[in-house]
Amino acid sequence: GFYSMTCYLHNMAMGQNQSEESYDGPGIKLRLLSWNIDGLDGKDVRQRTESVIQLIQSRRPHIIFLQEVIPPTLSQIRNKLGSNYSIHISPKISFQYFPIILVTKKCPKITIDGEVGMFDFPGSTMGRQLLQLFIKICGVPFALYTSHLESMKDYSRERKEQLRSCFEFVTEQTSLFNRVCILGGDLNIRDNEVAEVGMPPSVVDIWETCGSVEEHKYTWDISNNDNLFWRFPNKPQLRFDRLYLSPGRGEYVKPLSFELVGKERISGCNRFPSDHWGLWTE
């Protein structure tokens, strides 16, 4: 969770039987999920999306970033999750797949703080954009950002430009408006590209902050996830999906754990919910 330390002590003391939604101490233990749910793979898409929805229903994240949502899966998500989550999408969809942000309606400490914003990446040939949503958590202003950056090795230059833009939004919100920023999604990014763009000093990579655990490193892992028909002998393992935090002056905002989810096969089709694992942080 992103905790205030006072909240941490209160949580330790509050006992297991009291739900955190009704707990009125000074902080919150925040749960966040980011996942590319692979709407572009038409095979078993309804069943796979149902499996994503079930994971959300059982783990109850407060904030969710999803990429590669398509109109039919958006309908599924609205039907099953619309009563518990506000669902925020770009007012202008230029491609048949897009990112969305969901925020719980069930926690009074989390409130929406304005309309969703959308910024097109001018150099994108794949309709890629950055989605922005302002919220308040325990009265502290947050800016949430999710995106699905330009895909494929050959588009490295454009992808780096897009990441640079993302970091500019984050640093501006943190420095000018003192918002805590969370940026995440399927960034299709490689380590050398991050190094070339340069991470702003205010920004941390949540996987790294939580100990760079090898077991939770590769979010697109062909050697362990066989959803894609892969005809080549090498089975790449890549950390395409990332979660970044810019805590600003909210020094009490601290990621405590990071793991990959969605690693159980669906019994009916014997496939995973997506070709990406989901990213879970508290």
Side-chain angles (χ1 to χ4, degrees), residues 242-258:
R242 312 256 167 145
L243 279 171
Y244 292 110
L245 169 70
S246 178
R249 295 200 288 276
E251 309 290 75
Y252 44 80
V253 179
K254 187 174 187 293
L256 298 176
S257 67
F258 179 96

Side-chain angles (χ1 to χ4, degrees), residues 98-146:
F98 43 86
I100 69 174
I101 298 175
L102 293 87
V103 179
T104 181
K105 295 177 181 176
K106 296 295 183 185
C107 180
K109 293 181 177 183
I110 301 179
T111 53
I112 307 297
D113 192 26
E115 293 295 306
V116 69
M118 182 278 293
F119 307 94
D120 280 317
F121 295 122
S124 177
T125 57
M126 305 175 189
R128 303 298 165 86
Q129 49 191 209
L130 181 65
L131 207 56
Q132 168 188 275
L133 185 68
F134 295 153
I135 65 172
K136 283 191 173 161
I137 302 180
C138 304
V140 175
F142 276 66
L144 306 177
Y145 291 100
T146 190

Side-chain angles (χ1 to χ4, degrees), residues 55-258:
L55 183 138
I56 289 168
Q57 287 170 330
S58 69
R59 297 191 70 141
R60 297 179 16 253
H62 297 98
I63 295 166
I64 306 166
F65 298 155
L66 297 178
Q67 303 86 46
E68 273 192 42
V69 177
I70 58 173
T73 61
L74 179 61
S75 301
Q76 265 179 283
I77 290 164
R78 280 201 165 123
N79 289 341
K80 294 286 174 68
L81 298 174
S83 58
N84 289 333
Y85 289 90
S86 60
I87 300 172
H88 307 268
I89 67 169
S90 163
K92 174 176 149 266
I93 303 292
S94 50
F95 263 56
Q96 75 272 32
Y97 60 95
F98 43 86
I100 69 174
I101 298 175
L102 293 87
V103 179
T104 181
K105 295 177 181 176
K106 296 295 183 185
C107 180
K109 293 181 177 183
I110 301 179
T111 53
I112 307 297
D113 192 26
E115 293 295 306
V116 69
M118 182 278 293
F119 307 94
D120 280 317
F121 295 122
S124 177
T125 57
M126 305 175 189
R128 303 298 165 86
Q129 49 191 209
L130 181 65
L131 207 56
Q132 168 188 275
L133 185 68
F134 295 153
I135 65 172
K136 283 191 173 161
I137 302 180
C138 304
V140 175
F142 276 66
L144 306 177
Y145 291 100
T146 190
S147 190
H148 181 193
L149 299 189
E150 214 78 354
S151 307
M152 298 183 293
K153 211 175 204 166
D154 295 350
Y155 290 86
S156 179
R157 176 180 295 205
E158 171 59 22
R159 185 164 48 248
K160 287 187 289 190
E161 276 310 306
Q162 293 174 5
L163 183 65
R164 196 171 282 119
S165 298
C166 292
F167 283 155
E168 280 168 9
F169 274 99
V170 164
T171 49
E172 185 176 89
Q173 287 300 327
T174 301
S175 59
L176 296 184
F177 305 104
N178 198 29
R179 287 191 172 96
V180 177
C181 295
I182 304 172
L183 161 68
D186 175 8
L187 306 185
N188 274 305
I189 208 78
R190 284 75 166 163
D191 287 340
N192 64 303
E193 294 171 345
V194 177
E196 285 162 35
V197 170
M199 252 169 69
S202 64
V203 173
V204 297
D205 180 314
I206 291 178
W207 172 74
E208 290 175 0
T209 304
C210 293
S212 303
V213 179
E214 192 71 15
E215 183 193 345
H216 300 301
K217 180 173 186 178
Y218 299 114
T219 66
W220 191 73
D221 182 357
I222 298 301
S223 65
N224 289 298
N225 184 321
D226 54 10
N227 271 26
L228 279 181
F229 173 65
W230 195 258
R231 61 175 76 80
F232 311 104
N234 66 318
K235 303 254 168 109
Q237 295 180 294
L238 292 159
R239 193 161 74 95
F240 279 162
D241 307 74
R242 312 256 167 145
L243 279 171
Y244 292 110
L245 169 70
S246 178
R249 295 200 288 276
E251 309 290 75
Y252 44 80
V253 179
K254 187 174 187 293
L256 298 176
S257 67
F258 179 96

